[in-house]
Amino acid sequence: MKLTQHTVRLVLAEPLRISRSTMTARDAVRLTIEHEGLSGHGEAVTSVFYGLDTAALQRLAARTGERLTRFAGPETALHALRVGELSPPGTPAAVTAATEAALLDLVGKRTATAVHRFLGSPAAPRAATARTISLTSPGRAAAQARRLAEAGFSVIKIKAGDPDEETDLDRVRAVRAAAPAARLLLDPNGAWTAGQARTLLPRFADLGVEAVEQPLTPGDPEALARLAARSPLPVIADEDAVTYEDARRLAGRVHGINVKLAKCGGVHAALRIAALIEGSGTDLMLGCLTASTLGIAPAVHIADRARWTDLDGHLLLAHDPWTGIGGDDGYVAANGLPGLGVRPRAEAGVWSAAS
């Protein structure tokens, strides 16, 4: 087997402003694993929060590629990855997840099987995805929410954490008025103190917010659990729930855990967390980083396990170089084609749709 990589710049259609930063673009490193005339693809994206720049992703992907040459085929390599024998020590979860995605894509193509089928879901998953509205004016948020509702989105995620707390409340009121039937999620990205959260959560509950992600600054999961125990609306851990052990400590103590493949290590790691929290009173949320369809697709193949699905990263791009999971109508879905079921858009040119 041979691993090659190609880096592209993913530019957002408009800046994504959250409480700690504003993003306009990020790099995506596409990993391609070739074997016996077929190719499987996966994607890792840069992240300031997780300390991953382009050079680091490229270097670490190359190290993984060197190890891949030891294996006779993608099936044995995939098994080695699952038991921790493929990725070099210190490999970040994002690279492991991208490598796993490429191997799953390749195995699926070799066996003419969609990835979701050998992950245990006979039917192609289809889920209503949240669509994110960033920290913007209430008027602009209302206009965006109205367009999203008209397009078919039934779940809207509103970023919070504005220095002026009343602006956050006004933004939610405006979205609620513009999209009265939508389910609303709130995400302050850890911007609040415990005192602020105790004051604000009842007010957001009164506005019909369904759940809040990571209201407190990450680093103190015990504080998050204490807040969840008294919260009038469900509290979902995100930045405080990165690994399996993080999830184990919070299972049954928060209402949800946002599992992102790039932070936990891929679909099998995500499924381990899902099995861990099942029946504990903690529900699964599937989230993502801003990425192309290729980067989002693996999570779509397990979207039927989640209570909340937030897989809109590809919808935030000015140009998505891949296609195959939809989303413009408010729903992401696996399509039943072999592997991940995604393909490069015709205008991408340098990527062959036949692979």
Side-chain angles (χ1 to χ4, degrees):
M1 288 185 295
K2 177 184 177 183
L3 184 147
T4 58
Q5 54 179 286
H6 182 78
T7 302
V8 298
R9 189 73 168 164
L10 300 177
V11 179
L12 276 67
E14 59 181 59
L16 177 64
R17 182 185 167 215
I18 65 174
S19 58
R20 61 173 178 257
S21 63
T22 299
M23 182 176 63
T24 58
R26 71 184 345 149
D27 284 347
V29 178
R30 186 249 307 173
L31 308 184
T32 297
I33 299 175
E34 302 172 59
H35 183 67
E36 296 181 345
L38 292 173
S39 298
H41 307 288
E43 179 181 272
V45 296
T46 54
S47 170
V48 173
F49 185 80
Y50 293 109
L52 294 174
D53 60 22
T54 308
L57 287 177
Q58 293 169 335
R59 181 179 70 256
L60 293 162
R63 288 173 56 195
T64 298
E66 292 170 2
R67 290 202 169 200
L68 272 174
T69 61
R70 306 175 186 177
F71 298 94
E75 293 82 3
T76 55
L78 187 58
H79 174 75
L81 182 142
R82 293 173 187 170
V83 298
E85 296 175 356
L86 172 57
S87 300
T91 300
V95 175
T96 300
T99 305
E100 180 196 46
L103 289 169
L104 286 168
D105 191 32
L106 182 53
V107 171
K109 290 172 179 175
R110 280 164 58 83
T111 59
T113 305
V115 164
H116 64 84
R117 292 187 65 84
F118 51 77
L119 293 177
S121 296
R126 181 176 183 266
T129 182
R131 182 69 157 78
T132 300
I133 293 178
S134 68
L135 288 178
T136 188
S137 69
R140 183 171 176 78
Q144 292 176 345
R146 191 173 296 109
R147 289 195 297 269
L148 291 173
E150 290 171 352
F153 285 86
S154 59
V155 187
I156 296 176
K157 183 164 90 168
I158 308 164
K159 291 295 185 179
D162 195 284
D164 180 1
E165 297 169 359
E166 292 301 322
T167 300
D168 281 342
L169 288 156
D170 287 343
R171 187 181 305 107
V172 172
R173 290 189 190 100
V175 170
R176 168 56 73 211
R183 298 163 57 198
L184 302 186
L185 305 177
L186 192 70
D187 187 6
N189 288 106
W192 297 340
T193 65
Q196 284 177 301
R198 286 192 295 270
T199 299
L200 290 170
L201 288 178
R203 299 181 70 185
F204 284 112
D206 288 344
L207 294 176
V209 170
E210 178 176 321
V212 59
E213 284 183 64
Q214 195 66 43
L216 304 183
T217 303
D220 190 352
E222 292 300 315
L224 192 68
R226 288 194 298 271
L227 178 68
R230 297 170 175 81
S231 175
L233 52 81
V235 171
I236 302 168
D238 183 359
E239 288 90 342
D240 268 330
V242 175
T243 66
Y244 181 88
E245 285 304 310
D246 293 338
R248 184 183 61 78
R249 284 189 288 269
L250 286 170
R253 306 179 67 205
V254 294
H255 304 92
I257 289 177
N258 186 347
V259 173
K260 298 174 182 174
L261 304 191
K263 70 177 182 179
C264 75
V267 293
H268 283 92
L271 291 175
R272 286 188 69 219
I273 293 174
L276 169 73
I277 65 177
E278 186 175 6
S280 71
T282 297
D283 290 314
L284 178 68
M285 179 178 191
L286 274 178
C288 65
L289 302 181
T290 303
S292 78
T293 282
L294 174 61
I296 304 297
V300 175
H301 283 267
I302 58 171
D304 51 351
R305 271 80 161 187
R307 174 178 174 182
W308 300 283
T309 302
D310 181 23
L311 299 177
D312 69 336
H314 62 305
L315 302 177
L316 306 180
L317 302 179
H319 170 71
D320 183 356
W322 292 80
T323 185
I325 59 173
D328 290 330
D329 62 351
Y331 291 84
V332 291
N335 56 31
L337 295 174
L340 293 174
V342 301
R343 59 191 184 279
R345 293 186 187 276
E347 61 266 33
V350 295
W351 297 343
S352 167
S355 65

